[in-house]
Amino acid sequence: MEKSERPPFQFIVSSDVLAEPIGSEMVLVNLGTDRMYELNHSACRVWQLLSDGFGREAIVMQITREFEVDEAQFSAELERFVAELVQDGIIHSPGL
């Protein structure tokens, strides 16, 4: 894989996770760990796109357009957010 290539970026929401919108925010509950996560408006939008199966580039394009944020900065924040969700068992790659 070349340095500029990235691994596939598509995830499945764990069957142990409940997502409940509250106004413009979202609460995620991992029933397997009893942990709760509060997502602000922009993180809620990222969650919606992730759970709808959007890939990295589509999420970056959509969020930078909707929230008028810097693409490079948001890309880094997206990687951190997704890594945290994977580590906490909220989402996982297909086939895992």
Side-chain angles (χ1 to χ4, degrees):
M1 185 180 301
E2 289 184 26
K3 196 174 194 178
S4 63
E5 289 182 39
R6 295 179 175 165
F9 190 87
Q10 196 165 20
F11 297 92
I12 296 171
V13 176
S14 170
S15 60
D16 289 338
V17 174
L18 297 176
E20 188 65 36
I22 299 176
S24 64
E25 299 182 350
M26 176 88 58
V27 174
L28 305 178
V29 180
N30 185 335
L31 300 174
T33 62
D34 290 329
R35 290 190 66 189
M36 187 178 352
Y37 306 81
E38 295 180 40
L39 305 181
N40 65 21
H41 180 64
S42 57
C44 177
R45 184 65 178 125
V46 171
W47 173 260
Q48 291 169 335
L49 295 169
L50 275 172
S51 60
D52 286 344
F54 282 73
R56 174 187 289 111
E57 288 76 20
I59 293 172
V60 169
M61 185 172 63
Q62 189 70 27
I63 294 297
T64 55
R65 186 177 63 217
E66 287 181 25
F67 292 92
E68 297 179 2
V69 295
D70 178 73
E71 185 175 326
Q73 180 181 351
F74 174 71
S75 291
E77 290 174 9
L78 178 62
E79 294 294 331
R80 284 190 296 274
F81 181 61
V82 166
E84 182 179 334
L85 293 176
V86 169
Q87 179 179 344
D88 291 346
I90 301 296
I91 59 176
H92 59 87
S93 294
L96 295 179

